[in-house]
Amino acid sequence: MTGLPNRLQTLSIPGPAGNLESLLVEGRPDARYAALVCHPHPKGGGTMHNKVVYRAAKVMHELGLTTLRFNFRGTGLSEGEHDEGRGEREDVRATLDWLHARYGLPVLVVGFSFGAYVTLRACCGDTDVSGLAALGLPVEAEGRGYSYSFLSTCTLPKLFLSGGADQYGPTETLEQIVASAAVPKTLVIVPEADHFFAGKLEQMQHALREWLVSRFFAGAHAAGSPTP
């Protein structure tokens, strides 16, 4: 897509446990949405610079959306301490509030792994959020259990996008979770991809873009240049 600014802005967004280190790329002035992308578990090395997070953010920006990535509390230069997903939900809400206050737009939220779990918990029922994409949704990772019973009442449009060989989210278990979730919902499995979509990042991007275009960009098609 032409005519898009591509300058990264480094920001410090106030959060409930201190400032959150963030990166923002401005989108088209006529965009109907903004985007927020959240990273995997910091105890496993997850940051906003993770490859999956970067590739997902690139999809959002190529669709013309102002796109924000940030580090959860205690990660990188973000202040505070890791809180096993509890305080991180408040970090998501703080960045959502910041985006909405600055641009006045509904937000499309993407989370990867731990970030997917946190964003689903934080955003279901949020009137400022128009859609949620959960990449590599974790079922159990390194002894951490994740419960998704709350999805039965989450009526926001949801994409569940995982690898067929995801070691932290077996397909059969993921299918059961998605089956119990409220509509609208979409499940996409990238064949042979592991949790990190190693060697399959382009397929992940394509699936994410297809869902976004079909759900949020009426009259556009994935091969073209939709106007947000």
Side-chain angles (χ1 to χ4, degrees):
M1 182 180 293
T2 59
L4 276 172
N6 196 33
R7 182 174 63 86
L8 274 176
Q9 301 177 43
T10 301
L11 304 171
S12 184
I13 295 176
N19 289 330
L20 298 169
E21 180 187 14
S22 307
L23 290 173
L24 181 79
V25 183
E26 294 276 358
R28 294 171 58 97
D30 60 345
R32 296 199 300 265
Y33 305 97
L36 178 67
V37 186
C38 299
H39 69 75
H41 209 295
K43 292 294 182 69
T47 74
M48 64 180 173
H49 302 293
N50 171 271
K51 289 181 180 180
V52 176
V53 171
Y54 169 78
R55 292 290 194 105
K58 186 176 180 181
V59 170
M60 310 302 274
H61 182 245
E62 287 175 347
L63 288 171
L65 310 186
T66 291
T67 302
L68 178 69
R69 291 177 278 155
F70 73 97
N71 278 331
F72 286 120
R73 58 182 64 197
T75 303
L77 298 179
S78 290
E79 298 173 340
E81 297 181 358
H82 176 68
D83 194 28
E84 295 296 343
R86 295 176 294 270
E88 286 79 5
R89 296 176 210 167
E90 300 304 317
D91 296 343
V92 172
R93 293 190 180 101
T95 52
L96 277 172
D97 289 346
W98 183 91
L99 265 176
H100 190 67
R102 179 159 175 167
Y103 297 99
L105 296 171
V107 183
L108 301 175
V109 184
V110 181
F112 170 48
S113 193
F114 172 78
Y117 168 73
V118 171
T119 55
L120 287 172
R121 290 299 301 263
C123 298
C124 283
D126 192 315
T127 57
D128 292 335
V129 176
S130 290
L132 297 165
L135 313 182
L137 189 70
V139 176
E140 185 171 348
E142 297 177 358
R144 305 181 189 99
Y146 296 91
S147 172
Y148 296 101
S149 58
F150 65 93
L151 290 176
S152 64
T153 59
C154 183
T155 56
L156 284 171
K158 299 171 291 299
L159 169 67
F160 299 90
L161 173 56
S162 291
D166 189 330
Q167 57 271 45
Y168 301 129
T171 299
E172 182 178 352
T173 306
L174 182 61
E175 288 173 341
Q176 294 171 358
I177 291 170
V178 175
S180 68
V183 295
K185 57 191 175 183
T186 302
L187 173 63
V188 178
I189 301 296
V190 178
E192 301 179 359
D194 67 7
H195 184 67
F196 301 96
F197 299 97
K200 306 286 185 178
L201 287 169
E202 290 186 1
Q203 290 93 320
M204 179 277 293
Q205 287 180 290
H206 177 76
L208 176 60
R209 180 184 173 91
E210 287 277 353
W211 179 74
L212 290 165
V213 169
S214 65
R215 172 63 64 171
F216 300 103
F217 301 95
H221 55 88
S225 298
T227 300

